[in-house]
């Protein structure tokens, strides 16, 4: 349930404003206060501001339009009511309400200069209205019943259907007669015209219009007069806060959506989302670098494998994986099981050779699950390291079959590699 700060905008700048807090059910949340618009702005705090503007400056009409909302309605509305106005529509502002049960659309018309002057006064005091509603739209609407509020020099009424009026310096009986709601005598009523009147008035108006109430009881089926001890404003404010009336702040005067204010409640969630996105990018970057390193290591292993398969060829092939795989197929033919042994064993050998760069592979041969490798090394200890590194995997065993030393001092050896347990 929302609370609204409802303030009336006096017609004259030297008159005091009145305000009260009302919830969306029309319940007053405190007493009516009086003061300047500056005082009202201070009292409003953070509550949404709803302004009742002088009804004498706003005309309300009921129009029949097929378009009920949106930009097309705003474009069509001025021309739909143009023939009912005595002023050039270019200087007028038009606003629409919710369609009535009859299908007619209520429309409010006010001079642009008047609306802008109201906004200027409110903004100068620090009030930013969410809604601006003609005060007589606060007269309670009751189906098939005439509702009337008499306050000071104003008589405000609606017929419970499509008509809403405000008259200045007229009595209730004169206002009803001018509105045409008393044209049908009670004995000729066909049931379509409201024949019951509920009126609210100040204490002074109850006695002032005593003759009118008596005369109207002769014209209508019933007349119920209620006194408003605190004046009309609280009643009008309660009705409008509950959702009645046309908000004049439409079209060019409608509320602009402030993106910053709209996003402010989401700034923490947005920050977390950005952080998750950044962390995701960092994670992807780390994965990419890790995969690049793995690829480089694999490339190096296959280069070593290629050089082991092609002793004496020091060049680095553009595709060492493809080159090593091609040589491997030539060596083992179509023997799938041999391929499963040969390639992993050579990978193990290539890794051992890459860690002992002083050793050189002279030849590699494969037969019956045994790989024979002839290599040279600077000393026996290097051969021993290669033999141990191949055997460390646990899948293969490597054994030195013999060594000789050439005139240059290098050690020539033959190492056999086979599956463990074979």
């Amino acid at each position: 349930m929302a609370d609204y700060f409802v303030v009336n905008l006096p017609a004259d700048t030297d008159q005091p404003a009145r305000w009260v807090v009302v919830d969306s059910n029309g319940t007053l949340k405190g007493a009516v206060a009086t003061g300047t618009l500056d005082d009202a702005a201070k009292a409003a705090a953070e509550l949404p501001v709803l302004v009742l503007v002088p009804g004498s400056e706003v005309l309300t009409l009921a129009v029949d339009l097929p378009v009920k909302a949106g930009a097309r309605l705003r474009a069509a509305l001025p021309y739909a009511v143009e023939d009912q106005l005595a002023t050039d529509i270019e200087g007028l502002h038009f606003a629409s309400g919710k369609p009535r049960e009859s299908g007619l659309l209520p429309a409010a018309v006010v001079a642009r200069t008047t609306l802008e002057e109201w906004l200027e006064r409110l903004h100068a005091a620090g009030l930013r209205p969410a809604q601006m509603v003609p005060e007589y739209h606060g007269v309670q609407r009751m189906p098939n019943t005439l509702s009337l509020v008499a306050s000071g020099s104003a008589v405000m009424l609606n017929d419970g259907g499509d008509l809403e009026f405000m008259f200045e310096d007229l009595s209730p009986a004169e206002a009803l007669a001018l509105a045409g709601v008393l044209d049908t005598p009670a004995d000729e009523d066909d049931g379509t015209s409201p024949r019951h009147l509920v009126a609210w008035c100040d204490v002074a108006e109850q006695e002032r219009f005593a003759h009118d109430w008596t005369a109207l009881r002769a014209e209508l089926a019933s007349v119920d007069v209620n006194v408003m001890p605190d004046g009309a404003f609280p009643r009008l404010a309660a009705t409008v806060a509950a959702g009645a009336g046309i908000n004049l702040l439409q079209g060019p005067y409608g509320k602009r959506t402030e993106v910053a204010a709209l996003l402010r409640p989401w700034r923490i969630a947005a920050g977390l989302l950005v952080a998750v996105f950044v962390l995701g990018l960092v994670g992807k970057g780390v994965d990419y670098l890790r995969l690049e390193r793995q690829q480089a290591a694999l490339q190096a292993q296959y280069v070593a494998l290629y050089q082991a398969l092609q002793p004496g060829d020091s060049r680095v092939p553009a595709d060492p994986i493809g080159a090593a795989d091609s040589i491997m197929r030539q060596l083992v033919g179509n023997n799938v099981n041999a391929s499963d042994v040969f390639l992993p064993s050579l990978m193990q050998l290539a890794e051992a050779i890459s860690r002992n760069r002083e050793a050189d592979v002279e030849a590699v041969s494969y037969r019956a699950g045994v790989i024979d490798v002839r290599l040279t090394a600077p000393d026996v200890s290097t051969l021993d390291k290669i033999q141990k590194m191949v055997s460390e995997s646990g899948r293969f065993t490597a054994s030195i079959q013999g060594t000789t030393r050439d005139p240059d001092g290098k050690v020539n050896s033959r190492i056999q590699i086979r599956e463990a347990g074979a």
Side-chain angles (χ1 to χ4, degrees):
M1 185 186 306
D3 287 344
Y4 295 95
F5 185 83
V6 186
V7 56
N8 85 303
L9 184 68
D12 297 327
T13 56
D14 57 349
Q15 292 180 333
R18 289 170 293 175
W19 60 86
V20 68
V21 177
V22 188
D23 67 25
S24 55
N25 285 334
T27 303
L28 273 63
K29 306 298 286 290
V32 175
T34 303
T36 65
L37 289 177
D38 293 323
D39 296 331
K42 294 176 183 177
E46 298 298 321
L47 290 176
V49 177
L50 195 159
V51 180
L52 296 183
V53 299
S56 57
E57 302 293 338
V58 184
L59 174 65
T60 302
L61 303 169
V63 295
D64 186 9
L65 272 177
V67 184
K68 301 300 181 185
R72 292 177 59 193
L73 170 62
R74 289 194 295 271
L77 189 55
Y79 301 99
V81 300
E82 184 177 14
D83 59 348
Q84 303 180 56
L85 303 173
T87 308
D88 186 0
I89 62 173
E90 295 300 324
L92 301 176
H93 170 65
F94 299 83
S96 61
K98 297 178 181 178
R100 304 289 190 205
E101 293 182 0
S102 63
L104 297 180
L105 188 74
V109 186
V110 62
R112 289 182 183 276
T113 54
T114 300
L115 180 58
E116 290 167 2
E117 189 269 333
W118 289 339
L119 287 169
E120 184 178 348
R121 288 171 57 190
L122 293 167
H123 291 171
L127 288 167
R128 301 286 172 174
Q131 297 182 52
M132 295 177 68
V133 180
E135 59 184 332
Y136 63 89
H137 286 190
V139 178
Q140 186 177 357
R141 181 179 300 276
M142 294 181 286
N144 302 315
T145 300
L146 295 167
S147 299
L148 182 148
V149 171
S151 178
S153 63
V155 174
M156 298 170 268
L157 61 94
N158 67 55
D159 68 346
D162 300 315
L163 301 179
E164 292 174 282
F165 299 96
M166 177 171 171
F167 299 100
E168 292 279 359
D169 301 319
L170 292 179
S171 70
E174 291 171 336
L176 290 169
L178 190 60
V181 297
L182 299 180
D183 291 345
T184 304
D187 56 357
E188 296 180 10
D189 180 35
D190 59 1
T192 60
S193 299
R195 307 305 304 172
H196 302 276
L197 171 66
V198 177
W200 290 268
C201 61
D202 297 341
V203 176
E205 275 65 41
Q206 182 186 26
E207 297 180 4
R208 177 184 168 197
F209 298 128
H211 177 74
D212 285 66
W213 310 134
T214 301
L216 289 171
R217 287 188 176 93
E219 295 279 348
L220 301 170
S222 67
V223 175
D224 181 14
V225 181
N226 303 276
V227 177
M228 303 178 295
D230 297 322
F233 172 65
R235 170 164 290 278
L236 302 177
T239 303
V240 172
I246 298 174
N247 182 12
L248 298 176
L249 297 179
Q250 298 181 22
Y253 301 99
K255 184 178 180 181
R256 301 290 194 275
T257 301
E258 297 182 7
V259 176
L262 193 63
L263 294 179
R264 192 173 297 119
W266 300 95
R267 62 185 183 277
I268 296 177
L272 291 174
L273 183 61
V274 170
V276 169
F277 180 72
V278 170
L279 288 175
L281 287 180
V282 171
K284 291 291 184 184
V286 171
D287 288 343
Y288 179 75
L289 292 175
R290 178 175 56 80
L291 290 174
E292 272 199 332
R293 292 193 191 99
Q294 289 179 352
Q295 183 183 26
L298 189 60
Q299 288 280 93
Q301 288 181 3
Y302 268 94
V303 168
L305 175 60
Y306 172 80
Q307 292 173 345
L309 293 172
Q310 294 288 90
D313 187 354
S314 60
R315 68 187 179 88
V316 178
D319 181 13
I321 297 175
D325 188 55
S326 176
I327 296 171
M328 182 270 293
R329 283 197 300 270
Q330 293 175 13
L331 290 172
V332 303
N334 295 324
N335 190 326
V336 176
N337 292 331
S339 175
D340 290 343
V341 173
F342 182 70
L343 181 59
S345 65
L346 283 187
M347 290 292 294
Q348 195 72 22
L349 174 65
E351 183 176 356
I353 295 295
S354 67
R355 296 185 184 181
N356 296 274
R357 295 285 184 180
E358 302 88 352
D360 294 315
V361 176
E362 300 295 335
V364 176
S365 62
Y366 173 83
R367 186 178 62 182
V370 178
I371 299 97
D372 278 308
V373 183
R374 285 192 303 109
L375 48 80
T376 61
D379 49 47
V380 175
S381 126
T382 301
L383 293 173
D384 188 55
K385 289 179 183 177
I386 293 173
Q387 180 260 331
K388 288 181 178 179
M389 290 181 67
V390 172
S391 301
E392 279 177 357
S393 67
R395 180 178 177 184
F396 302 101
T397 59
S399 59
I400 299 175
Q401 299 300 306
T403 61
T404 61
R405 188 177 293 276
D406 61 18
D408 296 331
K410 290 187 176 181
V411 177
N412 298 311
S413 178
R414 186 167 63 89
I415 294 179
Q416 278 191 350
I417 303 173
R418 66 182 66 213
E419 280 191 292

